[in-house]
Amino acid sequence: MAATSRSSLAILSIYDSSDDDEPVGSSRVSSKRSLLDTDFQGSEYSSKKQCTNEKKLLPSPLGLDQIFPLTASAPVDNPEQHDGRVRSFPHERGNWSTLVYIHYEPSIVLESFVDVVKVICSTDVGLALKAPDELHISLTRTVVLRHHWIDSFVASVRQIFEAVARFQLTFGSVDVYTNEEKTRTFVGLVVELGQRALQSCVGELDKCLAEFRLQPFYDDPSFHMTVAWCVGDHKTEIATVLPQLNEVFKQFLYTHPEQWTSAVRQLSCKSGNKKYVFPLAR
Ligand code: AMP
């Protein structure tokens, strides 16, 4: 698909594409924060942040500047560089935005369906939707990990999923979502078969997130795969064309039934610019 993705995975890419995203251990690191992370903004981090606003920097003790080198100014967000999206949380040194998800391989049939979705939204409600360039089903919110936690978080998740069996999922309908900040709207294919397995994965992931004091997934999760998106809150407009979108989806289901079933053999995690894969048990 030609257009760029702007759902959870793409949110990570806002940060990935920024100047200060480099792997842990390099001289610069990605920097994001959630409200829940405030516990960890204490002593060493806050004081460093203060330092960045001052012209003369005191030498830092304990060689911290080698771990988190200071820069003269914070990176400037330029929404034009990422299709008008606004960062959900500001850049902060040492924080990596992280998502656990199921990767989904696109097909020509799916791309044709997305083209129809875009045409309907354009002609009926005047919205120019874009297609994602990486399809996925989220199993966590986009959470923010301190960089020194990433390895143990990934190890915990890997351990969990070694014991989880592969499963099948299918899509059954179309729905519309907004992100929590209501700065983006998403059209998604809703998972039908496989919900129980997804719910059980989310249950395990939530326990793991709790250990890292991170926010769990939604209380009422609606497992879906975003297939088109736009900037702004356009849920109401898109809701008016949902019956058409669902009708079209039914036709695609009828004509290409095999295209909407997927065997889930592995889960994925993206943290900053790093990707991890967790194979499921056979
Ligand atoms: P995703 O494509 O997984 O990034 O999801 C798109 C958006 O759907 C995210 O920004 C979520 O916050 C939002 N969303 C809203 N309500 C829900 C829900 N009940 N379950 C899952 N995602 C939701």
Side-chain angles (χ1 to χ4, degrees):
M1 293 187 204
T4 47
S5 166
R6 303 306 159 222
S7 52
S8 296
L9 275 181
I11 294 166
L12 304 191
S13 77
I14 302 179
Y15 304 99
D16 292 346
S17 63
S18 69
D19 287 345
D20 71 344
D21 260 354
E22 287 190 5
V24 174
S26 73
S27 61
R28 295 175 298 167
V29 290
S30 166
S31 45
K32 292 126 241 172
R33 177 179 66 160
S34 72
L35 291 174
L36 288 173
D37 202 34
T38 48
D39 280 357
F40 311 100
Q41 303 305 316
S43 53
E44 129 257 0
Y45 185 75
S46 313
S47 58
K48 275 191 288 123
K49 195 178 167 220
Q50 239 175 341
C51 284
T52 60
N53 298 327
E54 290 167 13
K55 286 201 175 141
K56 279 195 175 174
L57 303 176
L58 291 172
S60 91
L62 305 172
L64 279 178
D65 52 345
Q66 281 155 23
I67 305 168
F68 299 114
L70 300 177
T71 52
S73 58
V76 178
D77 186 28
N78 180 0
E80 283 176 17
Q81 287 173 354
H82 35 77
D83 292 337
R85 287 165 298 143
V86 178
R87 289 179 199 284
S88 295
F89 26 83
H91 265 282
E92 291 212 7
R93 197 170 300 282
N95 289 343
W96 285 46
S97 59
T98 303
L99 178 76
V100 180
Y101 61 95
I102 295 168
H103 170 78
Y104 195 90
E105 272 306 309
S107 67
I108 292 175
V109 174
L110 183 89
E111 287 176 16
S112 309
F113 170 70
V114 175
D115 286 342
V116 180
V117 169
K118 285 157 69 179
V119 169
I120 291 175
C121 289
S122 165
T123 51
D124 290 12
V125 285
L127 289 171
L129 266 57
K130 298 179 183 190
D133 55 10
E134 197 174 344
L135 296 166
H136 72 278
I137 298 155
S138 299
L139 298 179
T140 63
R141 298 171 193 252
T142 302
V143 294
V144 180
L145 271 178
R146 295 290 284 162
H147 81 98
H148 51 274
W149 291 348
I150 292 172
D151 285 349
S152 65
F153 177 78
V154 166
S156 305
V157 174
R158 191 177 298 285
Q159 200 180 9
I160 289 169
F161 291 118
E162 275 169 5
V164 172
R166 297 172 172 189
F167 59 93
Q168 294 265 325
L169 64 79
T170 63
F171 299 102
S173 58
V174 185
D175 209 346
V176 58
Y177 303 84
T178 56
N179 60 348
E180 283 179 301
E181 301 82 11
K182 305 217 183 293
T183 54
R184 286 183 295 276
T185 307
F186 308 87
V187 173
L189 287 180
V190 183
V191 172
E192 190 176 63
L193 186 75
Q195 291 212 28
R196 193 178 294 180
L198 292 176
Q199 187 61 67
S200 134
C201 291
V202 163
E204 294 300 325
L205 282 167
D206 279 354
K207 283 187 219 161
C208 185
L209 291 165
E211 284 173 23
F212 290 81
R213 295 195 231 172
L214 293 169
Q215 200 176 9
F217 202 51
Y218 300 86
D219 285 340
D220 55 343
S222 171
F223 296 108
H224 66 274
M225 178 169 78
T226 291
V227 295
W229 70 278
C230 62
V231 169
D233 181 359
H234 297 290
K235 191 171 176 174
T236 311
E237 296 101 296
I238 294 179
T240 65
V241 293
L242 267 184
Q244 286 108 292
L245 300 181
N246 272 298
E247 194 50 49
V248 170
F249 182 61
K250 258 192 218 161
Q251 286 165 19
F252 271 83
L253 258 181
Y254 182 73
T255 49
H256 303 280
E258 74 294 343
Q259 289 287 325
W260 311 97
T261 299
S262 174
V264 181
R265 297 191 177 90
Q266 62 184 38
L267 305 185
S268 305
C269 173
K270 196 172 180 198
S271 187
N273 57 8
K274 289 187 168 188
K275 274 191 184 174
Y276 305 86
V277 167
F278 310 111
L280 299 181
R282 283 171 187 274

